[in-house]
Amino acid sequence: MRVAVGQVEPAFGDVDANVALTESVIREAAAKGADVVVLPELVSSGYMMASRDEAFGLAEVAGAGPATIAWKSLATELGVIVVAGFPEREGSRLFNAAILCLPDGQHTVYRKVHLWDEEALFFEPGDLGFPIVDTRFGRLGMMICYDGWFPESYRALALQGVDLVCVPTNWVPIPGQAVGQPGMATILTMGAAHANGIVVAAADRVGVERGQEFIGQSLIVSHTGWPVAGPAPATGSALLVADIDLAATRRSRAWGAFNNPVRDRRPEAYRLDPVR
C-alpha cells in the first residue's frame, strides 16, 4: 500500500478555496500512485473558530456538504481512499470530525474524542468511539490531534486489529522545546506506532491563523516506530509518500518468541487501588 500525507495551509473560512487546495493535493498524490491520502484536521474550514455560530456556519453534514461531497467524488474518480478533517453538523450538534472516503462511494465518520482547549466551547465530544474500516489493503482507523496524547486511543484501535491509523491534526508548539529538538507530537506518534506495532500517517497543517502558530512536521511512521517519510518541514506545504507492507507489519507484532506488546497486556494488574 502506498500512503500519502498532505501538509497544507488552509485559508480560514474559505471552504471553496480549501476544497480546491485539497483536490490538488489528492490528485497529485494519486498521480504518484497513492492508495490512501491523509489531510489535516479541519482542513475544509480552518481551525481558530471565534464563536460557535462561526463554527456552525462552516460545518456540514457528512457526505452532503461541499467538502465531503468533493472528497467522496475524488475517491471514486481516482480510486483512492481519502481521509480529511472537517467540522461536522448533526442537527444542532457540532463535532470536530474526520471522514474516510472509499472508492466505492461509502464513507465512515470519526468524531474527535478528546477535545483540545477552546474546542470544548464549540464542539461536542466524539460519540462514535474509534471505528475500524476494512479495506482491500487492511484495517484502517482514525483519530484527530489531541487524541494522540492518550495511549488508550491507539490501544483501542490496536485491540481491534488496526493496521494503519490516519491522523488529521493541527499540532501547535509545546512549551519548553529547545531549538532543534523534534516535536513532542512526532515523538508521541513514533512511540505509539512502536508500542502497538501499527503504521501511523499524521497530516499536520502549517502557517499562522488568527495568531496561532502550527508546527507542520507531518510524518508517516512504520510499525517499528521509525519514520518512513518525514517529518516534513515546520513551514511550507509538503506531500509525503511511502510504501507500506502491511503483511510485514502484522508479522512483526510478535517481538521474538516471547513478546507481543498488545498480547502481553495484563489488565488485571492495571486496577487502581484506593489511596490508603
Side-chain angles (χ1 to χ4, degrees):
M1 177 173 63
R2 182 164 290 181
V3 179
V5 160
Q7 176 171 293
V8 298
E9 182 176 358
F12 185 85
D14 194 339
V15 175
D16 290 343
N18 294 333
V19 169
L21 174 64
T22 57
E23 178 178 354
S24 69
V25 174
I26 293 165
R27 290 191 180 279
E28 181 181 356
K32 293 180 184 240
D35 301 301
V36 179
V37 186
V38 186
L39 294 161
E41 176 182 8
L42 296 179
V43 71
S44 68
S45 60
Y47 182 82
M48 295 298 293
M49 310 295 184
S51 68
R52 192 177 188 282
D53 286 344
E54 185 174 58
F56 197 86
L58 293 170
E60 62 184 74
V61 175
T68 53
I69 286 174
W71 296 332
K72 290 185 66 173
S73 177
L74 287 163
T76 300
E77 175 194 344
L78 301 172
V80 299
I81 297 169
V82 176
V83 181
F86 72 106
E88 183 197 12
R89 185 176 76 245
E90 184 184 67
S92 62
R93 301 194 300 164
L94 289 175
F95 298 94
N96 184 339
I99 190 170
L100 187 153
C101 308
L102 294 175
D104 66 4
Q106 297 185 72
H107 73 265
T108 299
V109 170
Y110 167 71
R111 293 168 173 170
K112 188 173 184 178
V113 170
H114 305 97
L115 299 179
W116 170 258
D117 198 37
E118 292 189 359
E119 288 176 32
L121 299 177
F122 316 129
F123 298 115
E124 306 283 341
D127 59 357
L128 301 176
F130 292 93
I132 292 284
V133 180
D134 287 309
T135 75
R136 68 186 183 90
F137 303 105
R139 302 180 191 96
L140 274 56
M142 294 174 277
M143 66 176 64
I144 298 174
C145 200
Y146 186 44
D147 289 326
W149 269 251
F150 297 82
E152 297 88 347
S153 303
Y154 282 105
R155 189 50 54 91
L157 287 163
L159 290 172
Q160 296 180 77
V162 77
D163 297 304
L164 167 66
V165 180
C166 303
V167 187
T169 189
N170 279 182
W171 289 329
V172 298
I174 300 296
Q177 179 177 347
V179 175
Q181 282 187 325
M184 182 61 68
T186 66
I187 295 170
L188 289 169
T189 302
M190 292 163 61
H194 173 73
N196 291 285
I198 56 178
V199 180
V200 182
D204 195 15
R205 62 160 292 171
V206 289
V208 178
E209 185 178 279
R210 291 180 167 176
Q212 176 62 63
E213 178 186 357
F214 299 93
I215 68 168
Q217 301 178 55
S218 303
L219 73 168
I220 303 170
V221 184
S222 83
H223 61 276
T224 64
W226 300 114
V228 290
T235 59
S237 299
L239 180 64
L240 307 179
V241 180
D243 290 322
I244 302 297
D245 183 345
L246 291 186
T249 297
R250 291 178 180 178
R251 283 194 297 268
S252 74
R253 286 176 184 155
W255 294 356
F258 297 103
N259 294 109
N260 176 312
V262 175
R263 184 198 62 200
D264 292 346
R265 294 164 53 257
R266 293 190 55 205
E268 75 281 1
Y270 309 146
R271 180 173 57 87
L272 299 179
D273 289 323
V275 176
R276 296 193 176 103

